[in-house]
């Protein structure tokens, strides 16, 4: 489904934090480097999803760049649906793989773009309002900081996934980076991959 489509199940309000979990040791613990891939696991289910997980595991990958867009996670302000994200984090973690999460795309309710259009790009790829985006970033880090330490701000802003000004991206990046680092001083913040 398009990034702006409603989740399959009714979202529930977000708990204050994720249930307590033990951090999983990563495959890279004894390596001098990290081996990562960009993935779209969230687009698959059933046997196809299981095959991709198995391939990631067999290849020795220990970082996967993936995640759920903000509109899927918080389709209405303050109403969260972490079901898919929790599964992704748990399934990768069970294999010693860390998720490099992309904090990206405007939630329709928080976009500065047109929301009265059939083209979801008009709102999804426009700069979001800063305060709600900072809340989104903080909520994500607080929920997953025991298992996710790599946070990328937006996705490929130079090729159409960012339809606002470059200065608006810099403002978003600085605000979101500060929010991430305040929630987890050990986090690593990355710019939107080119």
């Amino acid at each position: 489904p398009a990034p702006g489509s409603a989740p399959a199940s009714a979202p529930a309000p977000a708990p204050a934090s994720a249930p307590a979990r033990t951090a999983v040791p990563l495959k890279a613990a004894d390596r001098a480097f990290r081996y990562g891939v960009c993935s779209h696991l969230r687009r698959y289910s059933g046997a196809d999803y299981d095959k991709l997980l198995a391939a990631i595991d067999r290849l020795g990958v220990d970082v996967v760049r993936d995640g759920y867009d903000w509109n899927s996670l918080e389709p209405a302000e303050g109403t969260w649906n972490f079901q898919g994200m929790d599964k992704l984090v748990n399934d990768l973690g069970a294999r010693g793989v860390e998720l490099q999460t992309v904090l990206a795309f405007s939630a329709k309710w928080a976009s500065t773009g047109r929301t009265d259009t059939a083209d979801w790009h008009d709102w999804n790829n426009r700069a979001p309002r800063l305060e709600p985006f900072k809340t989104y970033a903080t909520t994500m880090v607080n929920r997953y900081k025991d298992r996710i330490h790599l946070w990328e701000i937006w996705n490929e802003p130079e090729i159409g996934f960012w339809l606002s000004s470059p200065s608006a991206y810099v403002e978003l990046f600085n605000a979101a980076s500060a929010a991430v680092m305040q929630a987890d001083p050990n986090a690593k913040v990355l710019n939107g991959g080119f």
Side-chain angles (χ1 to χ4, degrees), residues 70 105-107 110-112 126-130 132-133 154 162 164 172:
W70 182 19
F105 308 117
S106 289
S111 180
T112 62
R126 296 282 175 185
R129 291 182 287 125
L130 283 180
F133 194 85
W154 216 262
W162 180 262
S164 296
L172 178 83

Side-chain angles (χ1 to χ4, degrees), residues 134-151:
K134 285 169 40 180
T135 299
Y136 155 59
T138 299
T139 300
M140 292 292 287
V141 175
N142 283 336
R143 185 172 184 87
Y144 299 110
K145 66 183 171 186
D146 63 327
R147 295 170 298 154
I148 298 175
H149 301 93
L150 304 170
W151 300 93

Side-chain angles (χ1 to χ4, degrees), residues 39-56 66 68 84-92 95:
S39 171
H40 297 293
L41 280 164
R42 69 191 179 283
R43 295 181 184 173
Y44 298 91
S45 61
D48 290 335
Y49 177 84
D50 294 339
K51 285 178 191 176
L52 286 169
L53 276 176
I56 286 167
D66 206 338
Y68 281 74
M85 186 71 182
D86 285 350
K87 177 173 175 42
L88 188 60
V89 172
N90 291 336
D91 289 348
L92 290 170
R95 290 158 178 82

Side-chain angles (χ1 to χ4, degrees), residues 9-176:
S9 61
S17 62
R21 299 177 189 97
T22 303
V24 176
L26 298 176
K27 291 178 183 176
D30 60 347
R31 290 189 202 158
F33 67 94
R34 307 291 306 267
Y35 176 29
V37 296
C38 180
S39 171
H40 297 293
L41 280 164
R42 69 191 179 283
R43 295 181 184 173
Y44 298 91
S45 61
D48 290 335
Y49 177 84
D50 294 339
K51 285 178 191 176
L52 286 169
L53 276 176
I56 286 167
D57 194 25
R58 281 194 316 271
L59 289 169
V61 169
D62 69 316
V63 179
V64 169
R65 179 186 183 269
D66 206 338
Y68 281 74
D69 69 283
W70 182 19
N71 196 65
S72 297
L73 292 162
E74 190 184 13
E77 188 169 11
T79 302
W80 294 89
N81 180 2
F82 289 110
Q83 183 178 358
M85 186 71 182
D86 285 350
K87 177 173 175 42
L88 188 60
V89 172
N90 291 336
D91 289 348
L92 290 170
R95 290 158 178 82
V97 179
E98 182 175 8
L99 185 61
Q100 176 185 313
T101 302
V102 182
L103 297 173
F105 308 117
S106 289
K108 189 171 187 177
W109 60 267
S111 180
T112 62
R114 289 185 51 210
T115 58
D116 61 345
T117 174
D119 186 352
W120 56 269
H121 294 284
D122 290 335
W123 55 267
N124 195 246
N125 293 345
R126 296 282 175 185
R129 291 182 287 125
L130 283 180
E131 288 305 314
F133 194 85
K134 285 169 40 180
T135 299
Y136 155 59
T138 299
T139 300
M140 292 292 287
V141 175
N142 283 336
R143 185 172 184 87
Y144 299 110
K145 66 183 171 186
D146 63 327
R147 295 170 298 154
I148 298 175
H149 301 93
L150 304 170
W151 300 93
E152 183 176 333
I153 311 300
W154 216 262
N155 175 61
E156 300 169 346
E158 85 290 3
I159 61 168
F161 290 106
W162 180 262
L163 298 177
S164 296
S165 70
S167 62
Y169 175 74
V170 171
E171 184 178 20
L172 178 83
F173 180 84
N174 289 339

